[in-house]
Amino acid sequence: MSSPSKTTGQKDSAVGSMKETVGKTFGAHNMAQRGREQHAAGEAEINAAKTQGYAEGTADRMTGKKDSVVGAVTGDTSQQYAGNVRQEKGERQQEWNK
């Protein structure tokens, strides 16, 4: 199974909504039901992708903080800088996936 994707989830959500609308409009109850299911699956994939992204951001933020502190304690400014960059990357990723 592949990783969840916000893009795929958004596509499935939108296509499912369209199928549901067309099905309701023309009395095609089967199509409307399939559309509802596809929309729900798309929304679930979006939420799964956000959760995965947030968790990855948390890991980057924590690892970056550790590297920054270790760099500061040992006087290794390049490690400290790299840690700060990774920590900021993790914070941005968390923010994006709220």
Side-chain angles (χ1 to χ4, degrees), residues 9-76:
Q10 289 168 341
K11 176 197 64 91
D12 285 342
S13 178
V15 169
S17 291
M18 285 187 277
K19 283 182 184 178
E20 183 178 6
T21 300
V22 169
K24 284 180 179 177
T25 301
F26 294 104
H29 302 293
N30 221 6
M31 181 184 223
Q33 178 60 34
R34 286 193 314 268
R36 276 191 296 280
E37 290 168 1
Q38 187 173 4
H39 173 77
E43 291 298 313
E45 184 163 1
I46 291 168
N47 290 333
K50 284 183 174 184
T51 300
Q52 180 181 4
Y54 192 87
E56 290 169 359
T58 300
D60 278 344
R61 186 176 56 83
M62 292 173 67
T63 301
K65 182 66 173 176
K66 176 204 53 99
D67 289 347
S68 177
V69 169
V70 169
V73 169
T74 62
D76 185 346

Side-chain angles (χ1 to χ4, degrees), residues 57-98:
T58 300
D60 278 344
R61 186 176 56 83
M62 292 173 67
T63 301
K65 182 66 173 176
K66 176 204 53 99
D67 289 347
S68 177
V69 169
V70 169
V73 169
T74 62
D76 185 346
T77 56
S78 64
Q79 183 179 10
Q80 185 178 3
Y81 175 77
N84 287 337
V85 169
R86 187 166 183 183
Q87 181 180 358
E88 290 173 14
K89 175 187 170 215
E91 289 169 356
R92 284 192 307 278
Q93 190 169 7
Q94 284 181 312
E95 187 64 34
W96 178 257
N97 287 292
K98 280 187 176 178

